Amino acid sequence: MQPREPSRTARATATLRAAHQELDGGRVLRDPLAAAMLGQDGEEVGRDGGAEDRWRAFRLFVAARARFAEDCLATAVHRHGVRQLVVLGAGLDTFAYRNPHEAAGLRVFEVDHPATQEWKRRRLAAAGIAPPPSLTFAPVDFERTDLPAGLAAAGFDPGRPAFFSWLGVVAYLDAGTVRSVLAWIAALPGGAEVVFDYTKPPALMTPRQRAAHEARAALVAAAGEPFVTSLDPGALAADLRALGFTTCEDLGPGEAVGRYLDDAATGASAEHMMRAGRLGAA
């Protein structure tokens, strides 16, 4: 990220979610606000959102990771009484504006770099989308600002159960920052659950996965937001347990999309989804 500039990868992720509505019929994730947030029509998002076959696997994964996080949140709301959702690195995420749990009292905290949040507010205004009363913006730069302090200032209550959605962010942070955020979530006195995606080291990928990963890595590096961290699945699970998480569910490449859609394109995906929680019995 550059000062005063929004994240280019946040824009790209939003474009893929919008393209999923146009190119895939929203079969994995229904997001009627995605294109409006970008200020684009269907033809534009179809052109910009990876219509080529080589981008299909990642476009479906972007939709599936959001759907998986929202499904896990719904379980946490109904089973564990969670009433706080923290969207870490929110970008142009639209959940807060189509919140199906608002009537149950779910409060949403969107955490992101101040420049990206300013950009999002402008996009919301241009699209005529009013932030709901249940939403609070918390401007935080993960690697320069104290996350607990930023959330406390926004009204987050660490003594109440919380759910954290952390999508499309971990790969861009250094490993120390990732671990410190996870350690803080695991230690919250009210209990918490977090869903995040990550990429395993290229040495653990198949040739097809590595080729797709390297193509994406070159693009984000050229945009000035290079991949920084990859995680070994086995070591990650052990570390999460050591931090105090009592439940860990890892979805390997293709498994997240496979929950919602049978598609051969998932074979090119190297991304994992992790659900780690301490909210009582699983």
Side-chain angles (χ1 to χ4, degrees):
M1 283 235 24
Q2 298 297 318
R4 300 192 181 94
E5 291 185 13
S7 164
R8 295 182 184 182
T9 51
R11 188 194 301 271
T13 297
T15 300
L16 289 172
R17 281 203 321 273
H20 174 61
Q21 313 306 305
E22 181 69 18
L23 300 175
D24 308 311
R27 287 187 291 165
V28 176
L29 177 75
R30 292 297 304 158
D31 187 349
L33 302 179
M37 290 283 277
L38 288 163
Q40 295 182 320
D41 59 24
E43 182 179 348
E44 288 174 312
V45 298
R47 182 184 64 241
D48 299 339
E52 302 95 334
D53 286 344
R54 66 193 180 104
W55 292 112
R56 179 175 173 80
F58 189 63
R59 185 177 70 244
L60 291 175
F61 174 74
V62 166
R65 73 185 181 190
R67 170 73 180 275
F68 178 67
E70 292 182 19
D71 286 352
C72 291
L73 169 65
T75 298
V77 167
H78 297 300
R79 185 179 298 175
H80 300 293
V82 165
R83 295 296 181 267
Q84 297 183 111
L85 165 65
V86 180
V87 186
L88 298 172
L92 286 180
D93 185 85
T94 64
F95 179 83
Y97 314 91
R98 49 183 178 82
N99 178 2
H101 311 293
E102 189 167 14
L106 180 68
R107 188 173 180 187
V108 182
F109 299 87
E110 286 195 354
V111 177
D112 214 332
H113 191 285
T116 296
Q117 280 196 343
E118 290 175 11
W119 169 60
K120 182 171 190 173
R121 287 174 180 263
R122 292 195 298 271
R123 289 301 325 137
L124 288 167
I129 302 172
S134 57
L135 171 65
T136 302
F137 291 100
V140 173
D141 181 343
F142 286 106
E143 296 182 324
R144 294 179 176 82
T145 308
D146 183 68
L147 175 60
L151 276 172
F156 175 78
D157 184 353
R160 299 178 60 209
F163 186 94
F164 291 77
S165 176
W166 201 11
L167 307 180
V169 180
V170 165
Y172 301 97
L173 302 177
D174 68 76
T177 298
V178 172
R179 193 177 194 281
S180 67
V181 171
L182 291 171
W184 176 71
I185 293 173
L188 285 171
E193 183 167 287
V194 58
V195 168
F196 62 94
D197 61 306
Y198 70 94
T199 302
K200 60 188 177 184
L204 299 181
M205 297 179 187
T206 67
R208 184 182 180 192
Q209 291 169 349
R210 190 179 305 116
H213 171 74
E214 289 174 352
R216 288 181 46 234
L219 283 177
V220 298
E225 299 173 30
F227 292 146
V228 175
T229 293
S230 59
L231 300 169
D232 180 281
L236 173 62
D239 198 26
L240 290 170
R241 295 283 186 182
L243 289 174
F245 289 106
T246 55
T247 60
C248 294
E249 179 185 11
D250 191 306
L251 302 185
E255 291 183 337
V257 176
R259 287 201 168 195
Y260 309 107
L261 186 68
D262 182 13
D263 195 295
T266 59
S269 173
E271 289 74 24
H272 283 244
M273 291 297 306
M274 173 61 77
R275 177 181 71 90
R278 191 176 58 78
L279 282 172

